Amino acid sequence: MKRLLLAVSVILVALVTGSSAQAPGTPAYKVPRMPDGHPNLQGTWTTQTFTPLQRPKRYAGKEFLTEAEADELIKLLTKQGVDPLATNIFGASDEERLKRVAQNDETHYNNAEWLATARPKTLSSRRTSMIFDPPDGLIPPQTPEGQKRAAARRAQAGFDSYETRPAQERCIVWTHEGPPMMPPPYNDILQIMQMPGYVLIYRELATAPRIIPMDNRSHPSDRIRNWAGHSVGRWEGDTLVVDTANFNDKAAIQGSGPDLHVIERFTRVSADRISYQVTLEDPGTWTKPWSVDIPMLATDGRLYEYACHEGNYGLAHILSGARFSDREAAKQP
C-alpha cells in the first residue's frame, strides 16, 4: 500500500456549478484539435471527487450546493481525523464523520492520513450527486428480475471456496473500471491518447487499457461477452460518444445484468476540464435508464504501476481463516 501514496497527490482546483456555460463577456472556449480536425482530448485527467454517486437524504430535492454550503462541506471533509472514504460521508454530520476513522488494526493505514494530500481546497463539482437523471439523484428501483439476480448473487458470495470470492479482491477486475469509469478511492488518474482510428484510455487503477475503435462498427454477436463489454466510438460534433454493450453477467455494475447498455459522452469544455456524462440502461435490472455527470479535470500527476496480489497469495489464508471461524462458531452453545 505504501506505493499508493505516490499517486494521491492530486489537488482539485476548479469550483464549478455543473454547467459548462461561459460567464457573461468571456470569450468562447476554443477547443484544441488533432490533425484530423476532431477535438484533442489527450492528456492526464482525474475524476477525483467528494460528490457521491447517489444523493444523500441530507440534500433531498437539492441538485446543487450553494457556494456557502460547498465551503462548509470542504471544512468538514478536511478536518483532522476525518476519513474521506467513510460511507456516505458527503451527507453525514460532522460528528458522524469523526466516528468513522477508527482502525481495527493499528498496523494498517489510516484513511484520514494517507489520503490527506488528495483533499481538495475546493470541490470539483457542486452537484449533490453524480446522478442527475432521474432528478432525485438516485438509482432507479430494480425490476423483479434485477431483485432476483441480486439475491442469487448475495447467496453465492462467501468464503466457501475461491470461486465465491469477489474478483476485485484478487485484482482480476475492478468494479470502478466500467464503463462507466467511476472514481476509485485512490490512484485516480487516467490518460487519454488519440491515434488514427482509435482512442485509448489507460487508467492507473485498472487491469487493462480501453482500446476503442472509432469506425462506429457494429457490436459482435451477443454470444461474445467481456468484463468491460465491447466499446465502439464515434464523433457527434465535438463530443466523443462511446457505445458499449456485450457485457458478461459478472461485471454487475450496480447490480446490472448481461443486457447492460452504456453510452459515454466526452466533451472538452475548457483547457482543464472534460465533461464526462454517462447513461446506463438495462431493462432487466432497472425500471428506467439513469445518467451520471462525473468531473474530469486535468492533472500533472504521473501514472504509476498498480500491481496487487494480496488476494491471490493470501487466498489460502482467507479460506483457512474462514474455516477456523466456522469451527469456533460450532463450539458456541
Side-chain angles (χ1 to χ4, degrees):
M1 287 293 183
K2 290 183 179 179
R3 71 174 62 188
L4 301 178
L5 298 174
L6 296 173
V8 291
S9 59
V10 179
I11 295 182
L12 305 182
V13 295
L15 181 60
V16 299
T17 63
S19 170
S20 60
Q22 297 287 329
T26 302
Y29 173 65
K30 187 175 181 180
V31 179
R33 299 189 180 275
M34 300 292 291
D36 61 6
H38 292 302
N40 185 347
L41 306 179
Q42 295 192 123
T44 52
W45 309 85
T46 176
T47 55
Q48 184 186 59
T49 181
F50 280 130
T51 304
L53 175 63
Q54 301 192 76
R55 185 169 301 150
K57 292 181 180 179
R58 177 182 183 182
Y59 300 115
K62 190 180 185 68
E63 185 175 6
F64 295 100
L65 299 172
T66 65
E67 289 190 24
E69 289 171 329
D71 291 341
E72 176 192 11
L73 185 59
I74 282 294
K75 291 178 182 178
L76 293 176
L77 290 169
T78 56
K79 275 195 173 183
Q80 183 67 29
V82 169
D83 181 357
L85 290 184
T87 302
N88 200 22
I89 193 171
F90 187 85
S93 67
D94 193 13
E95 292 74 16
E96 288 174 319
R97 292 184 179 92
L98 292 174
K99 289 178 182 177
R100 297 177 182 179
V101 300
Q103 301 289 320
N104 293 328
D105 181 359
E106 293 184 358
T107 64
H108 201 37
Y109 58 82
N110 184 317
N111 290 334
E113 298 302 327
W114 76 286
L115 287 179
T117 55
R119 297 178 178 187
K121 303 301 182 184
T122 59
L123 296 176
S124 58
S125 171
R126 290 215 305 260
R127 285 191 178 276
T128 55
S129 64
M130 285 188 279
I131 296 177
F132 66 88
D133 185 34
D136 63 4
L138 301 176
I139 297 174
Q142 287 188 330
T143 63
E145 179 185 345
Q147 295 174 17
K148 183 178 179 179
R149 186 190 311 111
R153 285 169 175 165
R154 287 193 298 270
Q156 183 183 22
F159 292 85
D160 291 340
S161 83
Y162 69 91
E163 294 181 316
T164 60
R165 299 307 302 149
Q168 182 164 289
E169 179 180 85
R170 301 176 62 189
C171 301
I172 296 174
V173 64
W174 292 84
T175 54
H176 67 264
E177 289 185 59
M181 301 186 298
M182 301 302 294
Y186 50 75
N187 289 59
D188 184 22
I189 299 178
L190 60 88
Q191 184 173 3
I192 298 178
M193 291 168 271
Q194 294 169 249
M195 56 210 74
Y198 293 89
V199 171
L200 187 147
I201 304 176
Y202 187 80
R203 300 196 71 174
E204 186 171 45
L205 186 57
T207 54
R210 295 181 61 191
I211 303 174
I212 303 167
M214 293 297 297
D215 55 6
N216 201 24
R217 67 184 67 176
S218 299
H219 294 298
S221 164
D222 60 10
R223 295 192 299 175
I224 301 175
R225 297 184 175 275
N226 301 305
W227 283 93
H230 178 266
S231 294
V232 178
R234 65 180 185 273
W235 290 99
E236 292 185 359
D238 284 348
T239 297
L240 168 63
V241 179
V242 181
D243 183 308
T244 305
N246 293 66
F247 291 89
N248 61 26
D249 195 33
K250 299 178 181 179
I253 299 170
Q254 297 296 325
S256 66
D259 295 329
L260 176 65
H261 184 204
V262 177
I263 299 291
E264 300 167 278
R265 291 178 170 85
F266 301 76
T267 307
R268 189 156 189 176
V269 294
S270 70
D272 60 358
R273 187 178 183 89
I274 288 177
S275 170
Y276 177 54
Q277 295 190 337
V278 192
T279 298
L280 298 86
E281 182 176 12
D282 183 353
T285 300
W286 306 296
T287 55
K288 57 183 176 181
W290 50 286
S291 300
V292 297
D293 185 345
I294 302 173
M296 186 175 290
L297 303 181
T299 176
D300 293 329
R302 296 176 57 191
L303 275 70
Y304 289 82
E305 177 188 13
Y306 188 88
C308 68
H309 289 288
E310 295 91 334
N312 292 314
Y313 63 67
L315 184 59
H317 303 295
I318 292 172
L319 297 179
S320 64
R323 300 293 75 77
F324 175 80
S325 296
D326 291 342
R327 292 192 296 272
E328 290 299 301
K331 295 177 183 178
Q332 302 299 320

